[in-house]
Amino acid sequence: MTALTLVATNAAILILLFLLLWAICLQTRDVTPVDSVWALGMVAMAGTTFIQADGDPTRKALLFGLCALWGLRLGGYMLWRWRDHGPDRRYQVMLGRAQEAKGWGFARATLVLVFATQAPMLFIVCLPVQLGQVDGGPPVGTLGMIGAGMALCGIVFESIGDWQLTRFRKNLANAGQVMDRGLWRYTRHPNYFGDALTWWGLFAIAAETGTGLWALPGPVLLTWTLMKWSGAPTIEGRMKRKKPGYDDYVRRTPAFVPWFPKAA
């Protein structure tokens, strides 16, 4: 199967998946589950590619296995958070503003602002686990093994960061305080850094093949969204309004790449 045919097939599957989820969310009036589908949808793309592609078996197993490990962990965590915290207020505010300002109904607002935006972004971000499985060679080499190590480190890093933040929030004594312990002492966004490291690692595995090199827009787009668009800027704007000590935390703690904090 050619790369173009594979990509077209995956795109059709993803569109159907998102339309199904959109129909469900119209009934529940809550689009929060799309966050878990962001991760689980990438696993689906890696899985459908694994079935279709005739690439190097070792590289296919690495890309699919690491993507599944990352996506099932993150998707499960997002589902648990939704069930524990309820609907995401960010979506409620965004959709409410669009409905009020543009006169859109819930169906149109969710389709345009949530599903039609996230589906193509998801598809682009997970290009490494699609295009990296196409070519039959060369065999996995040094770059691929380095990439696998990066991906594993990223998965572990963000998993620990999420676990530490969950424990911090569950402790009522921490109400109103800034999380600046554990990995959060060395970066303000260990979960986002772990995400980026994982996908740059998956790209490194894919980049050993000619077709896989075309997946570069994936990790670039993910890193940009996390650092400049819907990730860190959204979180930090809200934290500065809600947490009096957050400005001090920003001054002493690296924004993204972990490093030792500055003296207070």
Side-chain angles (χ1 to χ4, degrees):
M1 175 175 288
T2 66
L4 184 59
T5 303
L6 185 148
V7 166
T9 303
N10 282 356
I13 293 172
L14 186 64
I15 290 171
L16 289 175
L17 175 65
F18 265 71
L19 286 175
L20 175 61
L21 179 62
W22 177 58
I24 294 172
C25 290
L26 290 182
Q27 300 300 314
T28 63
R29 309 293 288 186
D30 181 10
V31 299
T32 309
V34 76
D35 287 339
S36 61
V37 175
W38 170 261
L40 298 176
M42 295 192 197
V43 178
M45 293 294 94
T48 56
T49 303
F50 187 84
I51 294 170
Q52 299 174 78
D54 301 316
D56 176 73
T58 303
R59 181 171 288 104
K60 285 178 60 180
L62 272 177
L63 289 171
F64 174 59
L66 288 168
C67 180
L69 182 63
W70 169 83
L72 293 175
R73 199 287 311 176
L74 180 58
Y77 170 72
M78 298 304 292
L79 282 173
W80 168 83
R81 195 172 72 173
W82 169 51
R83 301 306 300 171
D84 189 64
H85 298 337
D88 192 324
R89 181 165 172 75
R90 293 175 302 167
Y91 288 123
Q92 293 178 322
V93 171
M94 178 181 68
L95 295 173
R97 288 174 177 171
Q99 291 175 274
E100 182 178 346
K102 300 178 181 293
W104 290 356
F106 182 80
R108 182 178 180 183
T110 53
L111 180 63
V112 174
L113 298 178
V114 180
F115 293 94
T117 301
Q118 293 213 24
M121 291 181 64
L122 184 158
F123 190 78
I124 294 171
V125 168
C126 69
L127 280 176
V129 296
Q130 299 181 75
L131 300 183
Q133 298 190 55
V134 172
D135 293 353
V140 176
T142 302
L143 179 60
M145 297 312 295
I146 291 173
M150 290 171 59
L152 278 173
C153 288
I155 293 168
V156 171
F157 199 89
E158 72 168 321
S159 299
I160 293 174
D162 283 338
W163 173 72
Q164 290 175 337
L165 182 61
T166 298
R167 288 190 64 195
F168 178 84
R169 287 174 170 171
K170 290 291 185 181
N171 187 343
L172 297 180
N174 295 325
Q177 297 185 33
V178 175
M179 172 51 164
D180 58 357
R181 309 164 195 177
L183 296 180
W184 300 82
R185 182 171 183 263
Y186 303 99
T187 168
R188 301 200 296 272
H189 303 284
N191 46 353
Y192 293 160
F193 173 76
D195 255 353
L197 184 61
T198 297
W199 282 93
W200 279 106
L202 291 171
F203 170 71
I205 299 172
E208 286 189 318
T209 70
T211 304
L213 280 171
W214 290 96
L216 179 61
V220 170
L221 176 61
L222 177 66
T223 305
W224 177 77
T225 58
L226 292 176
M227 295 182 67
K228 301 295 183 182
W229 185 44
S230 62
T234 302
I235 297 294
E236 299 212 337
R238 186 170 72 250
M239 293 298 286
K240 287 178 180 179
R241 293 191 299 269
K242 295 174 59 178
K243 306 283 186 180
Y246 198 76
D247 284 332
D248 290 334
Y249 177 62
V250 168
R251 280 191 286 269
R252 68 176 184 268
T253 310
F256 196 73
V257 179
W259 193 245
F260 295 102
K262 298 177 182 178

